[in-house]
Amino acid sequence: MSKRVWKRVYAKLDLFLLLLIPLAWYVVFKYVPMYGLQIAFRRFNPSLGITASPWVGMRYFSQFFDSYYFWEIIYNTISLSIYQLAIGFPIPIFLALLINEIQHKRLQKTVQNITYIPHFLSVVVVVSMLNLFSNVDYGIFNKFLGLFGFPAADYMAKAQYFQTLFVFSNVWQSMGFNSIIYIAALTAIDSTLYEAATIDGCSRFKKIIHISLPGLLPTILILFIMRMGSLMEIGFEKVLLMQNPINMSSSEIISTFIYKNGIQKGQFSYSAAVGLFNSLINFLLLLFSNTLVKKFTKTSLW
């Protein structure tokens, strides 16, 4: 048996050698750093090292759970994540279906290119655009809303508008790029199904409902499970750039809290404990969503 296995490995040796590169990356950057997670249970002192630092158990977890800002941070993180999931997840699907239905090839490519371009803008540029658009004197938001009688306001300085600005600017920036995988899945659907539906007199809308969406469903479910596994992870760079003292009540989330306490204040053990708690929640969400989807469909990650 072992000779047969080694023979098959040798026959595909070039592919296994290519596999070593991403495998080494995961080991070095994903698994090796897990050794440092124990500082969440120690009063870490850089001069003593990880193993020599005194063990404190669940002290830093209790400190975070008992803090007065715990529920505010959790609420901000969950509400922003769900808001982003509810708006940002289905829009690339609709965009892919729209692009797939465009019959004129040049127009189809033009729409694709226009929606892809914002993905290549840096987060700094996008936040700068939001600041300019929200300007009280010459911002586009105030110019447009002023036509309907709304008073001028700096929307970046108002806590109640933070999540809306964050989510919709994120959707605008990423929907074109995120639709690529759905467009690829649509091209894999057997064209004879559409031809048969045309012969039966189905409209284009019915073709979308009965052919395109069922064909996309496995891809949608897999991406949904993966998205649930990172629900609590919101890119802190954009949130941090959009933050200011006025909107802090709705913009402070777990990732920015970890950055401020771990990097700026040097509370390594405390921030590691908060980060480990956040990762544990993501892991449980991944297990739950995979189990739920697997129960009702034949699609799952494992």
Side-chain angles (χ1 to χ4, degrees):
M1 176 67 87
S2 60
K3 289 183 178 180
R4 186 184 302 173
V5 171
W6 281 111
K7 189 175 181 179
R8 294 176 64 183
V9 170
Y10 184 77
K12 304 290 184 180
L13 185 61
D14 52 346
L15 297 178
F16 281 101
L17 290 175
L18 287 174
L19 180 63
L20 287 177
I21 299 174
L23 184 63
W25 185 88
Y26 268 96
V27 170
V28 172
F29 294 102
K30 297 295 183 180
Y31 287 96
V32 172
M34 288 185 183
Y35 172 78
L37 287 177
Q38 60 182 298
I39 70 173
F41 305 94
R42 297 178 181 273
R43 190 167 65 248
F44 177 64
N45 188 334
S47 62
L48 297 176
I50 295 177
T51 55
S53 297
W55 184 269
V56 296
M58 303 295 290
R59 172 182 173 181
Y60 294 110
F61 292 93
S62 299
Q63 180 181 337
F64 179 59
F65 297 151
D66 296 336
S67 61
Y68 69 90
Y69 44 74
F70 171 75
W71 288 112
E72 180 180 285
I73 293 175
I74 294 298
Y75 174 78
N76 290 341
T77 304
I78 294 177
S79 60
L80 184 57
S81 298
I82 294 176
Y83 193 179
Q84 188 166 249
L85 179 68
I87 302 297
F89 187 79
I91 286 181
I93 302 173
F94 296 145
L95 179 62
L97 292 170
L98 173 65
I99 292 174
N100 187 63
E101 289 299 315
I102 297 176
Q103 301 297 320
H104 195 283
K105 293 299 180 182
R106 182 171 295 181
L107 178 60
Q108 186 182 63
K109 291 181 179 179
T110 301
V111 173
Q112 283 182 294
N113 290 331
I114 291 174
T115 55
Y116 292 167
I117 288 173
H119 174 75
F120 301 100
L121 297 177
S122 70
V123 176
V124 177
V125 172
V126 174
V127 175
S128 299
M129 291 170 62
L130 289 175
N131 281 315
L132 290 173
F133 294 165
S134 299
N135 188 277
V136 177
D137 298 321
Y138 52 80
I140 294 177
F141 295 156
N142 285 301
K143 292 291 185 182
F144 176 75
L145 293 175
L147 299 175
F148 300 94
F150 289 93
D154 185 0
Y155 295 100
M156 288 289 285
K158 290 185 176 292
Q160 63 267 34
Y161 298 118
F162 170 81
Q163 293 192 354
T164 299
L165 290 174
F166 178 89
V167 170
F168 281 93
S169 62
N170 225 30
V171 169
W172 170 77
Q173 187 179 10
S174 61
M175 65 178 181
F177 187 81
N178 291 339
S179 67
I180 293 176
I181 191 169
Y182 298 113
I183 295 173
L186 285 169
T187 58
I189 298 176
D190 191 354
S191 60
T192 57
L193 295 175
Y194 292 102
E195 294 172 2
T198 302
I199 294 173
D200 289 340
C202 290
S203 64
R204 295 178 69 177
F205 180 74
K206 287 185 177 181
K207 291 177 186 178
I208 293 174
I209 298 298
H210 298 290
I211 301 176
S212 298
L213 281 177
L216 279 180
L217 189 59
T219 304
I220 294 172
L221 292 175
I222 290 295
L223 292 178
F224 174 76
I225 294 171
M226 296 176 66
R227 180 66 186 86
M228 288 296 293
S230 58
L231 186 67
M232 300 286 284
E233 291 183 6
I234 307 171
F236 87 98
E237 299 94 344
K238 187 175 181 181
V239 176
L240 191 67
L241 289 170
M242 291 179 65
Q243 267 187 359
N244 56 60
I246 304 175
N247 66 20
M248 194 67 70
S249 61
S250 64
S251 64
E252 186 73 330
I253 59 176
I254 290 179
S255 57
T256 56
F257 180 79
I258 293 172
Y259 168 75
K260 292 174 183 178
N261 284 271
I263 304 299
Q264 295 183 343
K265 297 181 181 179
Q267 298 178 2
F268 303 113
S269 296
Y270 184 44
S271 58
V274 178
L276 184 57
F277 165 74
N278 190 48
S279 299
L280 179 61
I281 297 300
N282 281 327
F283 178 67
L284 293 176
L285 287 172
L286 177 65
L287 291 178
F288 173 76
S289 58
N290 187 76
T291 304
L292 189 66
V293 170
K294 188 176 182 179
K295 182 177 180 180
F296 294 101
T297 67
K298 298 295 183 180
T299 304
S300 65
L301 286 177
W302 62 84

